Amino acid sequence: AVVSTQSTGGLTLLDTPGVLSGEKQRISRGYDFTGVVQWFAERVDMIILLFDAHKLDISDEFQRVIQACKGNDTKIRIVLNKADGITNQQLMRVYGALMWSLGK
């Protein structure tokens, strides 16, 4: 959708297909998803990686997506989705686990 307002200026949001996990990873997309991610990563101003606060497993495909964004580290922002549904203590645990997983 295109919205012409002064507040958004030249803002364009691109929502890519979700990253596959579990058995779905074995299904072929029919195109080079990681290559497409890398192409966009080189051209955009900001990359937002969404993680679910209730399930922090980083699938093999998500690992490949993160690797495809390498070299664009200053553009990456991490968003913890559904964080309002957990307690502060759980949030700190999730944050620690996420940072550990990303550091591997």
Side-chain angles (χ1 to χ4, degrees):
V2 177
V3 178
S4 180
T5 67
Q6 291 180 357
S7 62
T8 59
L11 177 69
T12 302
L13 296 176
L14 176 69
D15 183 9
T16 62
V19 174
L20 300 177
S21 63
E23 284 299 313
K24 292 179 184 176
Q25 292 182 84
R26 291 159 190 35
I27 299 170
S28 174
R29 290 181 181 270
Y31 63 96
D32 181 9
F33 180 67
T34 306
V36 171
V37 168
Q38 185 174 16
W39 187 89
F40 274 109
E42 294 167 356
R43 289 162 177 77
V44 300
D45 296 319
M46 182 184 293
I47 301 164
I48 301 173
L49 297 177
L50 288 174
F51 290 88
D52 190 323
H54 297 282
K55 49 184 176 181
L56 280 180
D57 61 323
I58 299 177
S59 68
D60 293 341
E61 186 175 60
F62 204 2
Q63 281 286 9
R64 290 191 297 274
V65 165
I66 292 168
Q67 289 297 319
C69 293
K70 235 182 187 161
N72 298 287
D73 303 347
T74 59
K75 300 177 184 181
I76 297 174
R77 301 296 179 267
I78 295 175
V79 175
L80 195 55
N81 195 22
K82 303 177 187 172
D84 58 336
I86 59 177
T87 67
N88 287 344
Q89 185 176 8
Q90 289 171 320
L91 181 59
M92 294 311 295
R93 285 188 186 141
V94 167
Y95 174 78
L98 179 59
M99 292 301 109
W100 182 83
S101 293
L102 290 173
K104 290 196 295 186

